[in-house]
Amino acid sequence: MIQIKDIKQAKNKAKISMLTAYSYPLARIIDKAGIDIILVGDSLANVVLGMDSTREVTMSDMLRHTQAVVRGVEHALVVGDMPYVAYQEDIKLAVENAKKFIQAGCAAVKVEWFEDCLEVVKLLRKENIQVMAHIGLTPQTVEKLGGFKTQGKDLETAKKLIDQALRLEKQGCFAIVLECVPDRVAGLITKKINAPTIGIGSGLYCDGQVLVTHDMLGIFDRYTPKFVKKYADLSNEILKAVTSFKDEVSNGVYPDKKHSFAISDEEFEKLQQEEG
Ligand code: KIV
């Protein structure tokens, strides 16, 4: 089982891989592939529950899916993504909600940057809860960032990100996700902090990379950010399979003998004699 210390020690030695999972079967596959960290992301809202914003997802949605993921994982470090309602509406709820993720089997929780983020991290660390931070493009407060845009593209905003990363590390975060940060700015942040950085749309100079699994497998086809590389086109594969099923049902091809159960001739004859 991968531990927090393994992730910290990976810095400057090995690249860290992280993917999201929301269900038992996908968690099993991702774990089997040897991915280091599985994030039960609040992207659950968009890619599984069909919501428009990650702000809509509830603690009970997140916990239900976390429990399913944890059941499927033997090796990876599981991180639970704190939904907006768990800490941003009222920071006094943060500890109680983070503990629910830990009780569900997570090794840590992730929180997105917002004005009281450092205070939240402080409260969590005081309770010895491991925290991964998320800066740059933070979807829970996207309207304050002017929409889904690259963050840190000029001197002032890049310096703000560096400052956030340094302060989050000082407050005890074990890793920091950098979302949609220019590659060289992400590289500079990576050099300046000892905690590993995990990039999403932030280029090659981070200590690790994360993608939303439903994006990289091509399951979620409503929109695809520029940085997503599709490693499979499962939505087309699924469409092909489901269409074949429909055709075979319509044509009476499925189920054939191989996919049916039999009764012996002798027993069936007796049955027919009694029941016509
Ligand atoms: O919710 C999520 O999937 C995330 C990743 C994009 C890092 O926060």
Side-chain angles (χ1 to χ4, degrees), residues 18 20 22 39 41-43 81 110 134 177 179 200 210 212:
M18 172 162 130
T20 62
Y22 321 95
L39 172 71
D42 66 351
S43 49
D81 206 4
K110 177 168 83 61
H134 180 160
V177 170
E179 179 162 354
I200 173 160
V210 54
V212 170

Side-chain angles (χ1 to χ4, degrees), residues 159-193:
K159 276 176 87 95
K160 261 193 200 159
L161 291 179
I162 294 170
D163 182 58
Q164 288 169 10
L166 287 168
R167 291 163 76 189
L168 286 162
E169 169 170 54
K170 200 163 165 214
Q171 207 61 262
C173 292
F174 76 96
I176 302 185
V177 170
L178 306 179
E179 179 162 354
C180 288
V181 174
D183 55 358
R184 287 184 291 172
V185 177
L188 205 56
I189 297 173
T190 301
K191 258 199 215 154
K192 279 186 179 280
I193 64 173

